[in-house]
Structures are given as structure tokens and as C-alpha cells.
Amino acid sequence: MLNYVLRRILQAVPLMIGVSIIGFGLMHLAPGGPLAVYTLNPTITAQDIERIKVVFGLDQPVYVQYFKWALGMFTGSWGYTFFGGRPVLVVILERVPATLLLMGSALSIAIVVGMFVGILGAIRRYSVFDYLATTGAMFALSFPTFWFGLMAIYVFALQLRWLPSGGMYELGAEGEFFDLLRHLALPTMVLALVIVATWSRYTRSSFLEVIHQDYIRTARAKGLRAPAILFRHAFPNAVKPLIALLGVQLPFLFSGALVTETIFGWPGMGRLFVDALTMKEYPVLMGMMMFTAFFVIFSNLIADVAVAMIDPRIRLA
Amino acid sequence: MTSTQNIIAEAPEAAVVAARHESFVRLVLRRFLRHRLAVVGAVVVVLLCASALFANAVAPHDPTFLDTKHRFLAPFQDMGFLLGTDELGRDTLSRLLYGGRVSLAVGVVAMLTTVLSGLVVGLAAGYYGRWVDDLLMRFVDTMLCFPQVFLLLVVAAFVPPTLISISLIIGLTSWMEVARIVRGEILYLKEQDFVQAARALGAGGARIMFKELLPNAIAPVLVAATLKVATAVLMESYISYLGYGIQPPLASWGNMLTNAQGYFDTVPYLAILPGAMITLTVMSFNFLGDGLRDALDPRLRMD
């Protein structure tokens, strides 16, 4: 097992290097480069720009800049924001809890609902329920997240006035649990919808594949009852590709969270990203790209290790 | 019975190949037609494309003409403006038609970019193998670590937004899946007898890749291409909605939605209509792609 984990970590290293090269390259290819915010400012002279270049080390060859920057990434010095001069890592990290809360609640609801729908669809294949569920999933996948969010705001916040239309807390109610729940409800629902759709589709096909295996027929032949077959024999095998899917789906979840946070004014990483974009905050953008990519690599690692724990064939291969 | 035997005796291979080819196309068509939602999707896609192509003939008004006497008309309130007008008195129906032209154009150009890049990368990786494969597939893995919307927005914020630049950006951030599909197909195909035969006959790399491998890998690419139009339309609406896509006064469904958000409380239909069009388009392409996948699935070829 340890052997497998180590091998898997070694595979993640080139990925991290690749991610850092792309992130670094993207920022340097940008028109105006990393100093765009200064060159566009009329009160800053050409001499000032030269001085800033020297101070930031931007007069050095590109590869030197890259290595210095990459070293900074690993030692936790991710640079400072242009406006306010705060450490980028701190700025990002203070937004992480809000996003994790939103993604976590959406994901857990989506997994429970999606798996339930998927398993039922697989068992009762071609039934009315199955037909409705697969068609419904297709509908859900086609909704633009932001439009669904706007419609949800219109119905539940503007017309029915059941839920707040945005933000995380009511003024003066910071930290109150029920207020947080009320604010969490709509964005969670919007973000969860797409994941439910994907999740139910994958669960259905994964269970369908397992259900027709010989060992399920054997279990049935020796007289086991349906729930025992389903949960003891089918579930562990069907769930393996789903765990791997969790890691693969994570970038989509981040994309969805970005859009959802923008609509609902949720103070998470997605909002930070959109704000940084308007202010041309390159250090923050670069940091965000690295942070999400590293998070994705790390989650894929965890997912693979989890699958290997369930299935000895993988870790011994 | 005797006639069949005669044909087979005369030109055995040609007859068998022709028969199988004919029946495969028929089979695919028959299975596609059985998938009702896919047929509906196909019809809607054709209608949408036609209305986009002929927008200038169909649209009752100039989509950018400001008619300040007729602002905020509700749908069906004034038959001169069938679907109403926006805050500047522009005709919503005309804007939806022209917006559809933009959205579909972006969808198709982005899809072509995606498919072309995916084909090149997948073909090279699958055919050459070894370090080429390693390098290209690690690049694919790396690209997949970034959330697509993040990548899109960063690049879109740097590049002046035009129809072409936005399509290219969307295409260049979504080819990875196609590359993986093509690579998988090529890995399987290149071990097949007909490819070995071509090689034995002295066919060169380019000939094998483009004449032998590519035509046989086209079915899954076709499915992926259809689904990619759907995601590209969705992506265009995302970045236009966030303000980095198609810029007003040129209408796109995405920027119509952004615009409508300001009057959302009082005139919701301005937001409902473009959103409904996006949903309809994306859904039709999704159903079409799904139906194609089922119809072309080689595992079901025997039914």
C-alpha cells in the first residue's frame, strides 16, 4: 500500500510542474505582463516602471524568474496584492472556508440524491422512473447555471420572499447558524443541480455494468436477498469508478462554484477570482490558478488511494 | 438463394463489404430514429441553425435600433414587437435571432477548434506512442487540472473580445477530452489487421494515420463534436454574462442576460427569454449527441 501511495505521489510531481509552467506562462504572455496595472497608470513614469522591474526581479531572464517564483510557491511566499499589498496566500486562504462550505454542502446533497436516483434507475431499468430520471438529468445538464440561479432568485427571493437573494449573513447576524443556512440554501441548490445530474447518470451506468456480472448471479443463485446483494456485493464494485469520478469532477465543481458565487454574492474563491479579474490583480489570479490546480491534483491523489484501499488489484498491479 | 450465391462467387469481398456498409448506415439511422428525444433534438437544431442563418430575413426589426417610444414592452403586448422590447426599445425577437447567430457561430467555430486540436494531439499520441504519447498525455492531464471557466476568464480578460477570439479560447481550453478519445481509438485500431496490412504494403506514417486510422475513429469524434457545441454555447454565455465575452450592442444570449439582470425585479421576461434559448439550444445538441452515441455504439451493433 505504502509502495502504491509513494508511486502515486511521484506521478503527481510532473503534473505540479506542468501546472506551474502553464500558470506562470499565462501571466507572462498577458499583454502588459505582470506590470500591466502600473504601465496603465498615468501617474507612474517610465523610470518608476524600471525601478519596479528591478525591485520585483522582472529584469532577470524568464527562467530565473520562474525558478524564483516556483521556489516561492513551495515555501508559501505567493507574493503580494497590487492593491493593499496583502500576502496573496492569506487573501486566498480567507476565502477558502466559504467556498468549501458551499461546495461541500452541494456535493453531499448531490451525491446522496444522485446515487439514490442512479441506483433505483439501474435496478428498475427502462421503468417510468428510470425514463423520467435520465431525461430529467439531461435537462439539468443543459441549464446554464447562472440562469437557473437567476430564476431561483426570482421565484424564491423576489416573489415568494422565502429566502435571501444573496450574501452569507444578514447585517448584524454574522455567525448565526440559521441565518447562514437560509443564505446557503439557494446557492447550494443551484450548484447541486448539475452535480446531481452527472452523478445519477454515472451511478446508473456503473451499477448497470456491475449488476450483470457473474458474481451477482452467483450471489442470487445461492439465495441471498436483494438488499444483501446490492449493498454487500454490487455496491463496493460499482462505487470505485464513482470515487475516481469525484476527483475528476472537481474542476467542474470549481467552475460551477465561481458562477454560483458571482450570482449570489457568496464571499468565496470564485468571487475573489472575478474581482481580481476586473482589477487586473495578477498575483491573486496566478495564486488562484495554482491553488485550485494543486487542490485538484491532491484530491485526485486521495481518490486514487481510496480506490486502491477498496480494491487490492489496483495497489498490487 | 442461387442469386446470392452467384454474386458472392463473382465478387466475394466487394459484395460483403457493400452489404455491411449499407446495412450499417441503415442500422444507425434506424436506431437513431427510435430515440425520440434525439430526433426532436435534431429537428430543433436544424430550426435553430436556419433561423440563425436567415436572421436578417426573418427578424422584424434591426436588432440594434433604439426605439425610445417603445421601451419595456411585454411579449404579445404590441404585435409590432412580438416578444416585447428592452430598456432601450430594441426588439427582443430580433435580438434573440441575431444573438442566436452569434451564439451558434461561437459554438460551431469552438467545436471545430476543439475537434481539430483534439484530433491532432490524439492522433500523434496514439500513433507515435513512447515519449510523444507520454509528453502529450501529461500535457492533457495538466490542462485538466485547471477549472475551464478559470482558464477561459483569464485568457478572455487579456484578449480583445471578438467572435473569433472567443471561439478560439473556448476551443483551446476544451480539446483535452477529444484528444483522449481519439488516442484510445488509435491505440486499438493500430493493432488491427487492416493497419498491419497497410504497413506491410509499404504505406507511410501519414497515409496510415489519415487514410486508415482517422476514418475508422470518426464515430466517437462525431458524438463528442455534437456535445462540444452544447458546452461551447454554454461557455460563451458564461463569459459573456461575466462581461468578458461578446460586447454590446452586438447581441448574444449571454450579454442579453447580463443586461436584463438590472431590470430583473420588474421585467423578468427579458432574462427568461435568452436563458430559455440557451437552455433549448444546449439541450437539443445534448439530446442529439446522446442519440448519436447510442446509434453508433459498436457494442450494440448486433441488436
Side-chain angles (χ1 to χ4, degrees), chain A residues 72-73 75-96 272 281-288 291:
Chain A
M73 276 277 139
T75 51
S77 51
W78 287 28
Y80 298 88
T81 60
F82 286 147
F83 300 97
R86 305 181 56 215
V88 168
L89 193 56
V90 174
V91 171
I92 294 174
L93 284 178
E94 65 188 17
R95 297 298 191 103
V96 170
L272 179 65
E281 274 278 13
Y282 290 106
V284 178
L285 290 177
M286 202 142 100
M288 291 278 304
F291 189 88

Side-chain angles (χ1 to χ4, degrees), chain A residues 227-244:
Chain A
I229 295 173
L230 194 63
F231 291 105
R232 187 90 48 81
H233 296 268
F235 195 82
N237 285 297
V239 95
K240 269 183 309 177
L242 296 177
I243 295 176

Side-chain angles (χ1 to χ4, degrees), chain A residues 127-191:
Chain A
S127 65
V128 177
F129 175 83
D130 184 33
Y131 184 74
L132 284 180
T134 40
T135 314
M138 231 19 206
F139 271 84
L141 281 177
S142 309
F143 276 126
T145 311
F146 61 92
W147 188 61
F148 184 62
L150 286 177
M151 292 301 123
I153 290 177
Y154 183 71
V155 174
F156 293 106
L158 297 180
Q159 293 301 314
L160 297 173
R161 302 204 172 272
W162 287 354
L163 293 163
S165 64
M168 201 169 173
Y169 290 108
E170 237 26 82
L171 223 64
E174 284 83 359
E176 273 179 31
F177 184 65
F178 280 104
D179 189 48
L180 178 65
L181 273 191
R182 273 166 50 79
H183 282 82
L184 194 58
L186 280 185
T188 303
M189 182 178 85
V190 169
L191 187 56

